[in-house]
Amino acid sequence: MEDLQQSAEELCNELLSGKLAHLNIQNYRYNSAEAVSELGLDQEMVETLVNDYVAQIIKAILQFDEYMEKLQDSKDKEIALDYTLFRELAHKNLGVARNLRIKDAEVLLYELMKKDDLDYLLTCLEALKVCAVRLRPQCAYDTIKLIHVKNSL
């Protein structure tokens, strides 16, 4: 689990200070106090909601990947790209990130909603995933493990 956390931290820093440096989120660290204050919820509830968000993002990455494969296939076949499902999924997750005041996720999900460059979108997806792991490593680990078990059945 510590390896997952360390790898996520390193990759997150690499992506956010390299290919995604223009987004200005490389030094961002989530602070639940803002969500507690603005939402009027207690700390425990916000922590539970953040864990739910992390699990949701980890699961959504699988859907994003599926949509990206379809987009890449359309691009390879020179068919017009339809980003509708991809952008709807980004929009759904953006609402959750905004509500919980998770700023790095907000920025990355906004990019996923607005950009058309598939390579750039892949980079944003990777950053979104590792930022979620960095946010709540144990929750991300448990969700990834559960997905692997489910897929092996």
Side-chain angles (χ1 to χ4, degrees):
M1 216 283 294
E2 287 184 26
D3 290 342
L4 177 66
Q5 184 176 1
Q6 182 65 30
S7 295
E9 189 70 42
E10 290 171 5
L11 187 53
C12 199
N13 290 337
E14 179 184 322
L15 290 170
L16 297 180
S17 63
K19 294 178 183 177
L20 301 175
H22 63 283
L23 299 176
N24 297 317
I25 55 175
Q26 51 269 54
N27 296 318
Y28 174 75
R29 290 285 185 216
Y30 181 69
N31 183 348
S32 60
E34 182 180 356
V36 168
S37 171
E38 291 181 18
L39 298 174
L41 300 172
D42 63 38
Q43 182 70 33
E44 185 178 332
M45 177 59 76
V46 170
E47 294 300 321
T48 299
L49 292 171
V50 170
N51 285 339
D52 289 347
Y53 160 79
V54 169
Q56 179 179 318
I57 282 296
I58 298 298
K59 292 173 189 173
I61 294 294
L62 298 174
Q63 287 180 281
F64 278 123
D65 288 344
E66 182 182 314
Y67 297 153
M68 284 298 294
E69 285 178 27
K70 290 178 181 175
L71 288 167
Q72 187 61 55
D73 188 50
S74 293
K75 182 179 176 184
D76 293 344
K77 293 178 180 174
E78 298 181 6
I79 298 171
L81 302 183
D82 181 2
Y83 292 89
T84 305
L85 294 174
F86 188 89
R87 290 186 173 143
E88 285 174 355
L89 183 58
H91 186 263
K92 174 180 136 185
N93 285 286
L94 176 60
V96 177
R98 278 187 180 149
N99 287 339
L100 293 171
R101 311 312 193 258
I102 305 171
K103 305 294 186 208
D104 57 353
E106 285 183 52
V107 170
L108 292 165
L109 287 159
Y110 184 80
E111 291 294 291
L112 293 175
M113 285 180 47
K114 301 297 179 188
K115 303 298 182 179
D116 293 336
D117 179 325
L118 295 183
D119 290 332
Y120 180 74
L121 292 175
L122 282 171
T123 301
C124 289
L125 279 175
E126 186 66 19
L128 182 65
K129 180 172 58 177
V130 295
C131 286
V133 172
R134 180 177 71 175
L135 180 59
R136 292 290 187 275
Q138 185 64 53
C139 179
Y141 176 81
D142 292 345
T143 303
I144 292 166
K145 197 98 161 133
L146 184 62
I147 290 169
H148 285 292
V149 167
K150 184 180 173 186
N151 288 339
S152 69
L153 297 176

